[in-house]
Amino acid sequence: MTFAFSKDTVRKAISAHSALGLVCCALLYLICATGTAIVLYEEWQRFEQLDAPEMSAIDPASVQRGIENVLASEKGKPATTHLYVHLPTEALPRTTITTDTQAVHIDREGEIVVPEENAWAEFLLALHYRLNLPALYGMTLVGLLGAMIVALSVSGIVAHPRIFRDAFRLRARRGDDVATLDWHNRLAVWTLPFALAIALTGAMIGLFYVSGGAVAAAAYGGDSEAALAPVFGGEPEGDAAPAPMPDVAPALAYMEREYPEVDPYYVILHDPRTAGQHVQVIAEHPRRLIFGDYYAFSPSGEFRGTVGLADGTVGQQVAASMYNLHFGNFGGLPVKIAYIVFGLALTVVVATGTFIWFDKRERRGQRSTYLRAAWWGLVAGVPLGLVATLLARFALGNGAPFVAIFWVVCLIAITVPLLQTRRASVPDKRSPEPVPAE
C-alpha cells in the first residue's frame, strides 16, 4: 500500500523532521555546555558567597553545637525530617547545615554566621541535571540524551573507518567546510573515551527514576525505597515519639579513631528529636571512584555498621562510582581541568556536527538558511545566558529569576539572527528598478 501526499505536505514534514532534529541537537549542546561549567560546582559556590566562613576542619563538639543551634532556631516551625551537615573538604572548605526549611554556614565554634546563598550554582546544576524540568521528566530526558551521545559516538566511528588513522590530519586549507569536518572528527576521536564514560554514566544517572520505578513496580510492590535498599541501604522503622537531641560528636570521634583512612564529609540526622532517629556519616575513600560509604550510628553514637558501598557487591560499587566519574569529583584540580578541556571539546563536537549537517543539506539543494541562523544563535545564546544569570546573581541577589533570565536570553539570541536573516533575504522595495539597457 502506498500513500500519496502533496509536495507541500512532504515539504512541511521534512521541515518538521529537521526542526525536531535541531531541537535534539540543541539539548545535547546545552547539556554538554552546562556539564562543562558544573565541573567547578564547589568553586562556583565559593565565588558566589565570598563572605562565608571557611576552615580546613571542624571538631566534633562544634558540629554538635552547630546542630543544636540550628534546631533551636527552628522553634515554632514544623519539625525537620532530615538534617544534613556538610563538613569541610578540600574543594569546599565550609561547614553548612541544611534542614527542611533553611541552610546556614557555621563557624569553627558551631555558631550560625550567615545563610547559605548559592542559588546560581544550584540553578546551574538543575539546568544540567534536569533542564529545569520536574525531576522525573527532566532526568529521564537527560538520560535519553546521554544514551544518544553513546549512539552518536559509536555510529560516528563505524561511519568513518579512517577516523583513527587520520586522527592528527587537518585539511583547513581546502575550505571552511572541510576544516569544520576535520575538527569535528579529530575532536571526536580525541575525546572518545571521555565522551563514552560521561554519556554512559549520565544515561545511568538520568534514567535512575525510570529504572528504579520499574524495578519497584515489578518486584517490590511499588516501594521505591525497598527497591534501592539492596544497593544504598534501607531506612529503619520510624517512631515519631519525642526523644532527646542526638549526639553526633561520639560518632565523628569513632570515625576518626576506627577509620582514620577515610574522610568523613557528610553527616545526616534522620528524624531528629524523635524515638526513631538515627545518624549516618558519609565518608570518602581516597583513591576510589565511589562517592563514599554510609556509616550508621545510634542517636548516642554507637556504631551499627556500614552499607557496604566500599567493599560490597560489584553492582553496589559500580552504582556508587557513577556520580564521581560523571562529574570529575576525584583526583583534585588536575582531573577537573581535564574534564573542562574534554567537556569543551565535546561541546564543540556537538556544535560542529550540526553545522556539518547543514552543509550536507545544502549540497543536496535543501536550503538551511534559517536553521543555520537559529543554530548560530543558540551556540552563542547558551554561554550568554549563563553569563547573564551570573551577573543577575550579584545584581539582584540570591532570589534572582535565573530560569526566566536564561531562557529569555537564549530566545533573544536565537530570534535576532533569524530576523537579520529574514531582513537580508527580503528585497529592498525602496531600491530603484534597474533601467534596461537600450
PDB file of all heavy atoms in Angstrom, residues 328-358:
ATOM      1  N   GLY A 328      33.608  14.250  37.557  1.00  0.00           N
ATOM      2  CA  GLY A 328      35.035  14.510  37.768  1.00  0.00           C
ATOM      3  C   GLY A 328      35.396  14.831  39.197  1.00  0.00           C
ATOM      4  O   GLY A 328      36.375  15.551  39.442  1.00  0.00           O
ATOM      5  N   ASN A 329      34.648  14.290  40.162  1.00  0.00           N
ATOM      6  CA  ASN A 329      34.910  14.564  41.580  1.00  0.00           C
ATOM      7  C   ASN A 329      35.922  13.586  42.158  1.00  0.00           C
ATOM      8  O   ASN A 329      35.696  12.959  43.193  1.00  0.00           O
ATOM      9  CB  ASN A 329      33.605  14.491  42.383  1.00  0.00           C
ATOM     10  CG  ASN A 329      32.644  15.590  42.001  1.00  0.00           C
ATOM     11  OD1 ASN A 329      33.047  16.638  41.525  1.00  0.00           O
ATOM     12  ND2 ASN A 329      31.359  15.356  42.212  1.00  0.00           N
ATOM     13  N   PHE A 330      37.047  13.453  41.496  1.00  0.00           N
ATOM     14  CA  PHE A 330      38.120  12.596  42.010  1.00  0.00           C
ATOM     15  C   PHE A 330      39.438  13.141  41.440  1.00  0.00           C
ATOM     16  O   PHE A 330      39.464  13.731  40.369  1.00  0.00           O
ATOM     17  CB  PHE A 330      37.918  11.132  41.590  1.00  0.00           C
ATOM     18  CG  PHE A 330      37.952  10.923  40.096  1.00  0.00           C
ATOM     19  CD1 PHE A 330      39.126  10.564  39.447  1.00  0.00           C
ATOM     20  CD2 PHE A 330      36.809  11.109  39.322  1.00  0.00           C
ATOM     21  CE1 PHE A 330      39.161  10.386  38.069  1.00  0.00           C
ATOM     22  CE2 PHE A 330      36.832  10.933  37.947  1.00  0.00           C
ATOM     23  CZ  PHE A 330      38.013  10.571  37.323  1.00  0.00           C
ATOM     24  N   GLY A 331      40.488  12.971  42.161  1.00  0.00           N
ATOM     25  CA  GLY A 331      41.789  13.384  41.647  1.00  0.00           C
ATOM     26  C   GLY A 331      42.102  14.858  41.789  1.00  0.00           C
ATOM     27  O   GLY A 331      43.149  15.314  41.318  1.00  0.00           O
ATOM     28  N   GLY A 332      41.200  15.633  42.398  1.00  0.00           N
ATOM     29  CA  GLY A 332      41.504  17.034  42.648  1.00  0.00           C
ATOM     30  C   GLY A 332      41.444  17.921  41.417  1.00  0.00           C
ATOM     31  O   GLY A 332      40.810  17.601  40.406  1.00  0.00           O
ATOM     32  N   LEU A 333      42.162  19.047  41.483  1.00  0.00           N
ATOM     33  CA  LEU A 333      42.117  20.067  40.436  1.00  0.00           C
ATOM     34  C   LEU A 333      42.601  19.567  39.072  1.00  0.00           C
ATOM     35  O   LEU A 333      42.006  19.933  38.048  1.00  0.00           O
ATOM     36  CB  LEU A 333      42.928  21.285  40.874  1.00  0.00           C
ATOM     37  CG  LEU A 333      42.865  22.503  39.944  1.00  0.00           C
ATOM     38  CD1 LEU A 333      41.433  22.988  39.791  1.00  0.00           C
ATOM     39  CD2 LEU A 333      43.760  23.622  40.480  1.00  0.00           C
ATOM     40  N   PRO A 334      43.666  18.748  38.978  1.00  0.00           N
ATOM     41  CA  PRO A 334      44.093  18.279  37.651  1.00  0.00           C
ATOM     42  C   PRO A 334      42.986  17.539  36.897  1.00  0.00           C
ATOM     43  O   PRO A 334      42.828  17.728  35.687  1.00  0.00           O
ATOM     44  CB  PRO A 334      45.272  17.345  37.967  1.00  0.00           C
ATOM     45  CG  PRO A 334      45.814  17.858  39.255  1.00  0.00           C
ATOM     46  CD  PRO A 334      44.611  18.323  40.034  1.00  0.00           C
ATOM     47  N   VAL A 335      42.230  16.712  37.599  1.00  0.00           N
ATOM     48  CA  VAL A 335      41.132  15.993  36.939  1.00  0.00           C
ATOM     49  C   VAL A 335      40.040  16.969  36.511  1.00  0.00           C
ATOM     50  O   VAL A 335      39.474  16.846  35.417  1.00  0.00           O
ATOM     51  CB  VAL A 335      40.561  14.907  37.876  1.00  0.00           C
ATOM     52  CG1 VAL A 335      39.287  14.292  37.282  1.00  0.00           C
ATOM     53  CG2 VAL A 335      41.599  13.826  38.121  1.00  0.00           C
ATOM     54  N   LYS A 336      39.757  17.967  37.343  1.00  0.00           N
ATOM     55  CA  LYS A 336      38.748  18.953  36.974  1.00  0.00           C
ATOM     56  C   LYS A 336      39.163  19.715  35.720  1.00  0.00           C
ATOM     57  O   LYS A 336      38.341  19.966  34.828  1.00  0.00           O
ATOM     58  CB  LYS A 336      38.506  19.927  38.128  1.00  0.00           C
ATOM     59  CG  LYS A 336      37.750  19.320  39.303  1.00  0.00           C
ATOM     60  CD  LYS A 336      37.251  20.396  40.246  1.00  0.00           C
ATOM     61  CE  LYS A 336      36.349  19.791  41.322  1.00  0.00           C
ATOM     62  NZ  LYS A 336      35.694  20.814  42.147  1.00  0.00           N
ATOM     63  N   ILE A 337      40.433  20.089  35.638  1.00  0.00           N
ATOM     64  CA  ILE A 337      40.912  20.795  34.443  1.00  0.00           C
ATOM     65  C   ILE A 337      40.776  19.907  33.214  1.00  0.00           C
ATOM     66  O   ILE A 337      40.338  20.360  32.146  1.00  0.00           O
ATOM     67  CB  ILE A 337      42.379  21.230  34.647  1.00  0.00           C
ATOM     68  CG1 ILE A 337      42.456  22.300  35.740  1.00  0.00           C
ATOM     69  CG2 ILE A 337      42.973  21.754  33.344  1.00  0.00           C
ATOM     70  CD1 ILE A 337      43.875  22.695  36.106  1.00  0.00           C
ATOM     71  N   ALA A 338      41.117  18.631  33.356  1.00  0.00           N
ATOM     72  CA  ALA A 338      40.967  17.705  32.228  1.00  0.00           C
ATOM     73  C   ALA A 338      39.509  17.582  31.811  1.00  0.00           C
ATOM     74  O   ALA A 338      39.197  17.578  30.606  1.00  0.00           O
ATOM     75  CB  ALA A 338      41.534  16.335  32.605  1.00  0.00           C
ATOM     76  N   TYR A 339      38.608  17.498  32.770  1.00  0.00           N
ATOM     77  CA  TYR A 339      37.184  17.401  32.454  1.00  0.00           C
ATOM     78  C   TYR A 339      36.692  18.658  31.742  1.00  0.00           C
ATOM     79  O   TYR A 339      35.844  18.580  30.833  1.00  0.00           O
ATOM     80  CB  TYR A 339      36.369  17.160  33.729  1.00  0.00           C
ATOM     81  CG  TYR A 339      36.087  15.701  34.012  1.00  0.00           C
ATOM     82  CD1 TYR A 339      37.136  14.808  34.218  1.00  0.00           C
ATOM     83  CD2 TYR A 339      34.788  15.214  34.082  1.00  0.00           C
ATOM     84  CE1 TYR A 339      36.878  13.467  34.480  1.00  0.00           C
ATOM     85  CE2 TYR A 339      34.524  13.871  34.340  1.00  0.00           C
ATOM     86  CZ  TYR A 339      35.575  13.002  34.538  1.00  0.00           C
ATOM     87  OH  TYR A 339      35.324  11.683  34.781  1.00  0.00           O
ATOM     88  N   ILE A 340      37.193  19.822  32.140  1.00  0.00           N
ATOM     89  CA  ILE A 340      36.782  21.058  31.477  1.00  0.00           C
ATOM     90  C   ILE A 340      37.282  21.081  30.037  1.00  0.00           C
ATOM     91  O   ILE A 340      36.531  21.427  29.113  1.00  0.00           O
ATOM     92  CB  ILE A 340      37.314  22.272  32.259  1.00  0.00           C
ATOM     93  CG1 ILE A 340      36.593  22.385  33.607  1.00  0.00           C
ATOM     94  CG2 ILE A 340      37.134  23.559  31.456  1.00  0.00           C
ATOM     95  CD1 ILE A 340      37.183  23.425  34.528  1.00  0.00           C
ATOM     96  N   VAL A 341      38.538  20.695  29.813  1.00  0.00           N
ATOM     97  CA  VAL A 341      39.097  20.683  28.457  1.00  0.00           C
ATOM     98  C   VAL A 341      38.333  19.704  27.574  1.00  0.00           C
ATOM     99  O   VAL A 341      37.911  20.045  26.457  1.00  0.00           O
ATOM    100  CB  VAL A 341      40.597  20.322  28.504  1.00  0.00           C
ATOM    101  CG1 VAL A 341      41.131  20.093  27.090  1.00  0.00           C
ATOM    102  CG2 VAL A 341      41.388  21.422  29.200  1.00  0.00           C
ATOM    103  N   PHE A 342      38.138  18.480  28.063  1.00  0.00           N
ATOM    104  CA  PHE A 342      37.405  17.486  27.266  1.00  0.00           C
ATOM    105  C   PHE A 342      35.940  17.872  27.111  1.00  0.00           C
ATOM    106  O   PHE A 342      35.323  17.603  26.069  1.00  0.00           O
ATOM    107  CB  PHE A 342      37.530  16.106  27.913  1.00  0.00           C
ATOM    108  CG  PHE A 342      38.874  15.474  27.745  1.00  0.00           C
ATOM    109  CD1 PHE A 342      39.583  15.017  28.848  1.00  0.00           C
ATOM    110  CD2 PHE A 342      39.449  15.326  26.493  1.00  0.00           C
ATOM    111  CE1 PHE A 342      40.827  14.431  28.706  1.00  0.00           C
ATOM    112  CE2 PHE A 342      40.698  14.737  26.335  1.00  0.00           C
ATOM    113  CZ  PHE A 342      41.385  14.297  27.446  1.00  0.00           C
ATOM    114  N   GLY A 343      35.368  18.492  28.138  1.00  0.00           N
ATOM    115  CA  GLY A 343      33.975  18.932  28.038  1.00  0.00           C
ATOM    116  C   GLY A 343      33.795  20.002  26.989  1.00  0.00           C
ATOM    117  O   GLY A 343      32.819  19.983  26.213  1.00  0.00           O
ATOM    118  N   LEU A 344      34.722  20.954  26.922  1.00  0.00           N
ATOM    119  CA  LEU A 344      34.665  21.976  25.877  1.00  0.00           C
ATOM    120  C   LEU A 344      34.815  21.353  24.500  1.00  0.00           C
ATOM    121  O   LEU A 344      34.120  21.739  23.549  1.00  0.00           O
ATOM    122  CB  LEU A 344      35.763  23.014  26.115  1.00  0.00           C
ATOM    123  CG  LEU A 344      35.558  23.970  27.299  1.00  0.00           C
ATOM    124  CD1 LEU A 344      36.811  24.817  27.522  1.00  0.00           C
ATOM    125  CD2 LEU A 344      34.357  24.879  27.050  1.00  0.00           C
ATOM    126  N   ALA A 345      35.721  20.383  24.391  1.00  0.00           N
ATOM    127  CA  ALA A 345      35.901  19.707  23.100  1.00  0.00           C
ATOM    128  C   ALA A 345      34.630  18.977  22.687  1.00  0.00           C
ATOM    129  O   ALA A 345      34.219  19.029  21.517  1.00  0.00           O
ATOM    130  CB  ALA A 345      37.073  18.731  23.187  1.00  0.00           C
ATOM    131  N   LEU A 346      33.977  18.302  23.630  1.00  0.00           N
ATOM    132  CA  LEU A 346      32.733  17.594  23.319  1.00  0.00           C
ATOM    133  C   LEU A 346      31.634  18.579  22.920  1.00  0.00           C
ATOM    134  O   LEU A 346      30.825  18.301  22.022  1.00  0.00           O
ATOM    135  CB  LEU A 346      32.295  16.765  24.527  1.00  0.00           C
ATOM    136  CG  LEU A 346      31.060  15.871  24.353  1.00  0.00           C
ATOM    137  CD1 LEU A 346      31.260  14.896  23.198  1.00  0.00           C
ATOM    138  CD2 LEU A 346      30.767  15.126  25.645  1.00  0.00           C
ATOM    139  N   THR A 347      31.599  19.741  23.563  1.00  0.00           N
ATOM    140  CA  THR A 347      30.626  20.766  23.201  1.00  0.00           C
ATOM    141  C   THR A 347      30.858  21.246  21.772  1.00  0.00           C
ATOM    142  O   THR A 347      29.906  21.444  21.005  1.00  0.00           O
ATOM    143  CB  THR A 347      30.729  21.959  24.180  1.00  0.00           C
ATOM    144  OG1 THR A 347      30.579  21.485  25.514  1.00  0.00           O
ATOM    145  CG2 THR A 347      29.650  22.991  23.896  1.00  0.00           C
ATOM    146  N   VAL A 348      32.129  21.427  21.395  1.00  0.00           N
ATOM    147  CA  VAL A 348      32.466  21.833  20.020  1.00  0.00           C
ATOM    148  C   VAL A 348      32.070  20.744  19.027  1.00  0.00           C
ATOM    149  O   VAL A 348      31.584  21.035  17.934  1.00  0.00           O
ATOM    150  CB  VAL A 348      33.968  22.153  19.913  1.00  0.00           C
ATOM    151  CG1 VAL A 348      34.376  22.391  18.458  1.00  0.00           C
ATOM    152  CG2 VAL A 348      34.307  23.380  20.754  1.00  0.00           C
ATOM    153  N   VAL A 349      32.262  19.480  19.405  1.00  0.00           N
ATOM    154  CA  VAL A 349      31.876  18.371  18.516  1.00  0.00           C
ATOM    155  C   VAL A 349      30.378  18.426  18.220  1.00  0.00           C
ATOM    156  O   VAL A 349      29.949  18.259  17.073  1.00  0.00           O
ATOM    157  CB  VAL A 349      32.258  17.017  19.163  1.00  0.00           C
ATOM    158  CG1 VAL A 349      31.605  15.852  18.403  1.00  0.00           C
ATOM    159  CG2 VAL A 349      33.769  16.844  19.169  1.00  0.00           C
ATOM    160  N   VAL A 350      29.563  18.661  19.243  1.00  0.00           N
ATOM    161  CA  VAL A 350      28.119  18.742  19.040  1.00  0.00           C
ATOM    162  C   VAL A 350      27.766  19.930  18.156  1.00  0.00           C
ATOM    163  O   VAL A 350      26.963  19.821  17.225  1.00  0.00           O
ATOM    164  CB  VAL A 350      27.386  18.843  20.395  1.00  0.00           C
ATOM    165  CG1 VAL A 350      25.898  19.074  20.177  1.00  0.00           C
ATOM    166  CG2 VAL A 350      27.604  17.579  21.215  1.00  0.00           C
ATOM    167  N   ALA A 351      28.387  21.084  18.415  1.00  0.00           N
ATOM    168  CA  ALA A 351      28.090  22.290  17.635  1.00  0.00           C
ATOM    169  C   ALA A 351      28.497  22.118  16.174  1.00  0.00           C
ATOM    170  O   ALA A 351      27.723  22.426  15.257  1.00  0.00           O
ATOM    171  CB  ALA A 351      28.785  23.497  18.250  1.00  0.00           C
ATOM    172  N   THR A 352      29.712  21.623  15.930  1.00  0.00           N
ATOM    173  CA  THR A 352      30.180  21.464  14.550  1.00  0.00           C
ATOM    174  C   THR A 352      29.431  20.352  13.826  1.00  0.00           C
ATOM    175  O   THR A 352      29.245  20.416  12.610  1.00  0.00           O
ATOM    176  CB  THR A 352      31.690  21.177  14.533  1.00  0.00           C
ATOM    177  OG1 THR A 352      31.967  20.043  15.386  1.00  0.00           O
ATOM    178  CG2 THR A 352      32.476  22.378  15.023  1.00  0.00           C
ATOM    179  N   GLY A 353      29.005  19.332  14.566  1.00  0.00           N
ATOM    180  CA  GLY A 353      28.236  18.266  13.931  1.00  0.00           C
ATOM    181  C   GLY A 353      26.962  18.789  13.292  1.00  0.00           C
ATOM    182  O   GLY A 353      26.561  18.345  12.214  1.00  0.00           O
ATOM    183  N   THR A 354      26.338  19.752  13.951  1.00  0.00           N
ATOM    184  CA  THR A 354      25.112  20.342  13.385  1.00  0.00           C
ATOM    185  C   THR A 354      25.431  21.182  12.160  1.00  0.00           C
ATOM    186  O   THR A 354      24.689  21.158  11.171  1.00  0.00           O
ATOM    187  CB  THR A 354      24.414  21.193  14.453  1.00  0.00           C
ATOM    188  OG1 THR A 354      24.221  20.396  15.632  1.00  0.00           O
ATOM    189  CG2 THR A 354      23.058  21.678  13.965  1.00  0.00           C
ATOM    190  N   PHE A 355      26.540  21.926  12.202  1.00  0.00           N
ATOM    191  CA  PHE A 355      26.930  22.695  11.023  1.00  0.00           C
ATOM    192  C   PHE A 355      27.248  21.781   9.842  1.00  0.00           C
ATOM    193  O   PHE A 355      26.944  22.106   8.690  1.00  0.00           O
ATOM    194  CB  PHE A 355      28.145  23.571  11.343  1.00  0.00           C
ATOM    195  CG  PHE A 355      27.817  24.776  12.163  1.00  0.00           C
ATOM    196  CD1 PHE A 355      28.431  24.985  13.391  1.00  0.00           C
ATOM    197  CD2 PHE A 355      26.891  25.698  11.722  1.00  0.00           C
ATOM    198  CE1 PHE A 355      28.127  26.094  14.154  1.00  0.00           C
ATOM    199  CE2 PHE A 355      26.581  26.816  12.489  1.00  0.00           C
ATOM    200  CZ  PHE A 355      27.191  27.015  13.703  1.00  0.00           C
ATOM    201  N   ILE A 356      27.858  20.631  10.108  1.00  0.00           N
ATOM    202  CA  ILE A 356      28.142  19.659   9.044  1.00  0.00           C
ATOM    203  C   ILE A 356      26.847  19.146   8.431  1.00  0.00           C
ATOM    204  O   ILE A 356      26.734  18.958   7.211  1.00  0.00           O
ATOM    205  CB  ILE A 356      28.996  18.495   9.606  1.00  0.00           C
ATOM    206  CG1 ILE A 356      30.391  19.008   9.973  1.00  0.00           C
ATOM    207  CG2 ILE A 356      29.091  17.352   8.601  1.00  0.00           C
ATOM    208  CD1 ILE A 356      31.204  18.018  10.779  1.00  0.00           C
ATOM    209  N   TRP A 357      25.852  18.945   9.289  1.00  0.00           N
ATOM    210  CA  TRP A 357      24.539  18.509   8.790  1.00  0.00           C
ATOM    211  C   TRP A 357      23.937  19.558   7.861  1.00  0.00           C
ATOM    212  O   TRP A 357      23.381  19.231   6.814  1.00  0.00           O
ATOM    213  CB  TRP A 357      23.634  18.238   9.990  1.00  0.00           C
ATOM    214  CG  TRP A 357      22.238  17.824   9.657  1.00  0.00           C
ATOM    215  CD1 TRP A 357      21.867  16.761   8.886  1.00  0.00           C
ATOM    216  CD2 TRP A 357      21.031  18.457  10.087  1.00  0.00           C
ATOM    217  NE1 TRP A 357      20.493  16.684   8.805  1.00  0.00           N
ATOM    218  CE2 TRP A 357      19.957  17.711   9.537  1.00  0.00           C
ATOM    219  CE3 TRP A 357      20.751  19.547  10.886  1.00  0.00           C
ATOM    220  CZ2 TRP A 357      18.632  18.055   9.767  1.00  0.00           C
ATOM    221  CZ3 TRP A 357      19.430  19.878  11.123  1.00  0.00           C
ATOM    222  CH2 TRP A 357      18.382  19.145  10.552  1.00  0.00           C
ATOM    223  N   PHE A 358      24.058  20.839   8.246  1.00  0.00           N
ATOM    224  CA  PHE A 358      23.564  21.911   7.380  1.00  0.00           C
ATOM    225  C   PHE A 358      24.298  21.902   6.043  1.00  0.00           C
ATOM    226  O   PHE A 358      23.689  22.072   4.970  1.00  0.00           O
ATOM    227  CB  PHE A 358      23.768  23.277   8.050  1.00  0.00           C
ATOM    228  CG  PHE A 358      22.917  23.493   9.257  1.00  0.00           C
ATOM    229  CD1 PHE A 358      23.386  24.258  10.330  1.00  0.00           C
ATOM    230  CD2 PHE A 358      21.648  22.954   9.355  1.00  0.00           C
ATOM    231  CE1 PHE A 358      22.614  24.472  11.454  1.00  0.00           C
ATOM    232  CE2 PHE A 358      20.861  23.155  10.479  1.00  0.00           C
ATOM    233  CZ  PHE A 358      21.351  23.915  11.525  1.00  0.00           C
TER     234      PHE A 358
END
